[in-house]
Amino acid sequence: MGFNQQPSSAVTESHYHTHKVFLFCNYILLGAASSCIFLTLSLRLLPSICGFFLILLHVFTIAGAVTGCAAAAAAASAGASRWYAAHMVTTVLTAIFQGSVSVLIFTRTSDFLGSLQSYVREEDGAVILKLAGGLSILIFCLEWVVMILAFFLKYYAYVEGGDGRTVMKRTAKVQQEEDLKDWPWPFQV
């Protein structure tokens, strides 16, 4: 699950680099989501119900990044589809909610700060909240990058085969010629 893995002969160079970027983006998501949790807690140590849901959203973001790392680590195993599905579901949902929260933070800062029931000064609370909103925008963008990279990793795993066999050859030829011999005459090209 680290960065020091060297590409094997079965794994292509682009697959290796995509895997590294995927893991790096997930690590950034882990850091950004945990930073948002600490920023929310700095507004009020025991959060209100709105603050609780904001922290819960960031916990789901962390869970999505962890499942992404697990899906990348288990890419060749039999349970990879389940990790991939869990990662994609959590990534889509958290991306939608992170985008909504960031828009809410930047458009209605004072109302959002009031619903958090913060005990810091309003000016300081607005700065802290806008920092969390900026991180939410970063998380939103990274979630979509991670989804695209996860799709490419799944595609590479399909093309190269999970257990070392080649599922699909990388040629432009659609069929072998001996397969056409069984077809009726009008369809043989």
Side-chain angles (χ1 to χ4, degrees):
M1 189 159 73
F3 287 114
N4 294 332
Q5 298 172 350
Q6 294 298 321
S8 65
S9 60
V11 178
T12 63
E13 187 89 16
S14 62
H15 183 167
Y16 174 71
H17 290 301
T18 305
H19 183 88
K20 280 178 68 173
V21 171
F22 178 76
L23 285 176
F24 186 66
C25 287
N26 275 313
Y27 293 151
I28 292 173
L29 278 173
L30 286 169
S34 61
S35 297
C36 280
I37 289 174
F38 289 120
L39 284 171
T40 305
L41 288 175
S42 72
L43 290 172
R44 183 173 171 107
L45 193 56
L46 297 173
S48 63
I49 192 74
C50 184
F52 171 75
F53 284 127
L54 187 61
I55 290 173
L56 188 64
L57 172 64
H58 297 306
V59 168
F60 282 143
T61 302
I62 290 172
V66 169
T67 58
C69 292
S77 69
S81 307
R82 184 177 43 189
W83 282 111
Y84 177 77
H87 174 252
M88 292 306 273
V89 167
T90 56
T91 303
V92 166
L93 290 176
T94 57
I96 290 168
F97 287 124
Q98 289 285 357
S100 303
V101 165
S102 64
V103 167
L104 184 65
I105 285 174
F106 282 111
T107 57
R108 312 228 357 151
T109 305
S110 61
D111 295 336
F112 195 75
L113 194 59
S115 66
L116 286 176
Q117 300 171 353
S118 176
Y119 51 75
V120 297
R121 288 189 331 199
E122 188 173 345
E123 300 86 26
D124 296 337
V127 170
I128 292 171
L129 199 57
K130 287 188 180 185
L131 285 171
L135 282 173
S136 292
I137 290 173
L138 173 73
I139 290 171
F140 173 76
C141 294
L142 278 176
E143 292 279 357
W144 290 103
V145 168
V146 162
M147 279 191 285
I148 291 168
L149 291 172
F151 172 76
F152 282 127
L153 286 175
K154 186 73 169 177
Y155 174 74
Y156 288 146
Y158 173 74
V159 168
E160 294 166 0
D163 55 355
R165 61 180 170 76
T166 303
V167 175
M168 182 171 54
K169 298 193 185 311
R170 293 180 184 230
T171 62
K173 192 172 190 177
V174 177
Q175 276 181 283
Q176 301 296 333
E177 290 181 23
E178 52 268 359
D179 291 341
L180 292 176
K181 293 177 184 174
D182 297 337
W183 285 52
W185 178 80
F187 295 110
Q188 293 179 8
V189 183

